Amino acid sequence: MQGLHQLVEKADEQLLDAEQREGRKRLDEFYSRLRDGDLVAYSIEEVEQAIRFGAVDTVLIASTVPRNQRKDLETSVEQQGGDDYVIASDTERGSQFVNAFSGVGALLRFPVK
């Protein structure tokens, strides 16, 4: 059963286009760090605080976040040498990201709290 699951997962990855694969990779890293209690921030307030401290390496923003708010986050992070990635909300993982974290999360360079 596990082998079949792995086969389906590998086939699924091959079918995803490059953008979806990148979004999946970024979300996988976010969830992995979150599970390990390691260097993430989520919710707009927490991410904005991390940006003020210069702690954001990558900000993840769902495509459903209002454009002006998305642009403000992207600009602030880029000014600090970080990068941004827009997560497609019309995928299963993107939808989960929106529902669980309001569509805003960040991979941090160092802890903020």
Side-chain angles (χ1 to χ4, degrees):
M1 189 62 136
Q2 183 179 4
L4 182 59
H5 178 69
Q6 289 174 343
L7 180 62
V8 169
E9 189 173 296
K10 286 186 187 253
D12 184 41
E13 287 179 18
Q14 293 298 318
L15 295 174
L16 294 174
D17 67 15
E19 184 176 328
Q20 286 179 321
R21 278 195 301 267
E22 183 64 24
R24 184 177 190 171
K25 176 182 159 190
R26 303 274 181 129
L27 284 176
D28 284 349
E29 183 177 356
F30 176 81
Y31 288 127
S32 175
R33 286 186 180 196
L34 180 67
R35 183 178 48 252
D36 297 339
D38 188 31
L39 299 177
V40 294
Y42 49 89
S43 83
I44 188 69
E45 296 82 14
E46 206 173 294
V47 170
E48 286 177 338
Q49 178 184 6
I51 290 171
R52 283 192 296 275
F53 284 107
V56 176
D57 189 35
T58 302
V59 66
L60 305 175
I61 310 165
S63 58
T64 55
V65 171
R67 188 167 180 77
N68 62 333
Q69 190 175 33
R70 199 168 57 210
K71 190 67 179 164
D72 289 345
L73 291 169
E74 292 169 346
T75 301
S76 297
V77 169
E78 288 172 2
Q79 288 174 347
Q80 297 175 3
D83 67 346
D84 59 88
Y85 190 82
V86 177
I87 302 293
S89 302
D90 60 353
T91 65
E92 182 179 345
R93 287 177 178 233
S95 177
Q96 291 171 344
F97 182 65
V98 170
N99 291 333
F101 303 102
S102 301
V104 179
L107 305 173
L108 304 179
R109 297 178 178 124
F110 53 85
V112 175
K113 297 177 183 188

